[in-house]
Amino acid sequence: MKPQGKLTTQKDVARLAGVSQAIVSVVLSGNTRNIGVSPEVADRVLSAAKRLNYRPNLSARSMRQGRFFNIGYFAASSDCGEHDFAQFRAGIYDAASEQGFHVMMIRLPSNLSKDPDVVPRTFREAHLDAMIINPMTLSINAIKEMVGSDNTLPIVYLNVKEEFGSVYVDDYHGARLATGHLFDQGFRRIAFFHAHVPKQTDHYSRKDRIAGYSSFMAEHGLVAQIKKLEVDIYSAEPTTSDELASRASMRDWLQGPNIPEAVFCNNDSEAMAFQQLLYELKLRVPEDIAVIGYDDDEICRLSSPPMSTIHIPRYEMAVAAVNMAVSMINLSNGDNAYRLAPTIKFTPKLIVRKSSQAIQSIVPAAKTDETDFVVRDA
């Protein structure tokens, strides 16, 4: 009988199951197929482990295998409305758990100069095998500088477009999907709208989305209109003279002769800000101006009308980032090959809802199971 208070060991499980400790180790590691342990024996071992409330000794495992079985997930905190999407976190936690790793969630400060040692210190103290960094709106160059060229810890950049070791979505293609959808609806005066967000370093996606939109317009002989609202859309009201002037200019555009038939917005939050402008001017969506966003955030389904958008497969991207990190860990024993892990590019999808449809093509809500919901890959 095991003394009360003593931790259960594999030897205890082996004694109860009537097998060797080596068999217990194999069964609990999940490698029974490769070793040839019968299902009956495996069930006996698992039942014994459950009965004894066995928990693996992670310290011992780390010492044996030279790993901590910890992956750090770094996301940049921000005070300007940007958020780390739940799908990223869910994908990272699920994929890491499936491969026997724990996840340490670490928030990077939005102002790195306040604590320039935060990343190196975490390397030293957190017992990580690899880390996944989502810079969000922070400068990737600033983060790389902080990481340092002498770093030996495997790093994967999530939602970042780098030559090696990153996972990102093809926003150029996504922008062409959005613009092409508006074109297919019969619209020709199609504009691109984006807004200024203070203290943010422009993410690569904004440039790629503008480039994708512009290329589609040029290929079809259409005039591109790229409009920027120099107002923090996350603040209550514009306050500075520049913000007030920018808002007035936007109103003049939407009430002038060059008013667009349709608008592709840089992301869903900025699309909501644009719809607010239209509401103030008593312009209807999509009757007066069709609108499509980007990201497929939850707010799209809650807006009125439901907003068309471009879906980013964040969960799948996060799973790919973890798989890349684990591959790097396996390759990092005395070899720098892990630094050349190929970057993975994901393809976004078009989600069509009511906000972007030409009036004559809108299907009455009563005839659909979901609110004007269509997915198109190309």
Side-chain angles (χ1 to χ4, degrees), residues 278-279 281-291 305 355 359:
L278 297 181
Y279 175 79
L281 296 173
K282 295 183 170 54
L283 293 171
R284 301 164 299 166
V285 176
E287 291 85 353
D288 297 313
I289 297 180
V291 176
S355 71
I359 298 303

Side-chain angles (χ1 to χ4, degrees), residues 247-291:
R247 197 173 183 87
S249 175
M250 196 65 63
R251 286 170 172 267
D252 291 342
W253 170 55
L254 293 172
Q255 293 176 310
N258 293 321
I259 182 173
E261 298 170 319
V263 174
F264 166 30
C265 298
N266 179 61
N267 60 42
D268 294 334
S269 296
E270 291 172 35
M272 293 294 288
F274 182 73
Q275 286 197 155
Q276 184 178 9
L277 277 172
L278 297 181
Y279 175 79
E280 293 170 1
L281 296 173
K282 295 183 170 54
L283 293 171
R284 301 164 299 166
V285 176
E287 291 85 353
D288 297 313
I289 297 180
V291 176

Side-chain angles (χ1 to χ4, degrees), residues 275-333:
Q275 286 197 155
Q276 184 178 9
L277 277 172
L278 297 181
Y279 175 79
E280 293 170 1
L281 296 173
K282 295 183 170 54
L283 293 171
R284 301 164 299 166
V285 176
E287 291 85 353
D288 297 313
I289 297 180
V291 176
I292 186 170
Y294 203 111
D295 284 344
D296 196 19
D297 204 350
E298 293 84 356
I299 58 173
C300 294
R301 302 172 188 86
L302 303 176
S303 67
S304 181
M307 189 189 302
S308 296
T309 187
I310 299 296
H311 172 76
I312 297 176
R314 295 189 187 88
Y315 183 90
E316 294 80 3
M317 290 169 64
V319 169
V322 171
N323 292 339
M324 184 184 293
V326 173
S327 296
M328 287 179 169
I329 293 168
N330 293 333
L331 288 171
S332 62
N333 294 327

Side-chain angles (χ1 to χ4, degrees), residues 76-82 109-112 114 135-139 195-203 206 228 230-234 243:
S77 62
S78 175
D79 57 358
C80 45
E82 190 72 19
S110 56
N111 187 348
L112 296 176
K114 291 182 179 179
M136 293 162 65
T137 54
L138 291 184
S139 164
H196 168 70
V197 181
K199 302 179 183 178
Q200 288 190 357
T201 299
D202 259 353
H203 193 259
R206 187 181 301 262
K228 184 176 182 180
E230 295 287 353
V231 173
D232 179 5
I233 62 172
Y234 298 104
E243 288 179 337

Side-chain angles (χ1 to χ4, degrees), residues 160-161 168-176 179 192 203-215 264 266 294 345:
V160 176
K161 190 167 79 170
Y168 75 102
V169 70
D170 189 348
D171 285 300
Y172 180 88
H173 175 68
R176 290 182 61 89
T179 313
F192 181 92
H203 193 259
Y204 82 89
S205 59
R206 187 181 301 262
K207 296 175 183 177
D208 283 6
R209 293 170 192 178
I210 291 176
Y213 157 79
S214 300
S215 71
F264 166 30
N266 179 61
Y294 203 111
K345 178 173 68 176

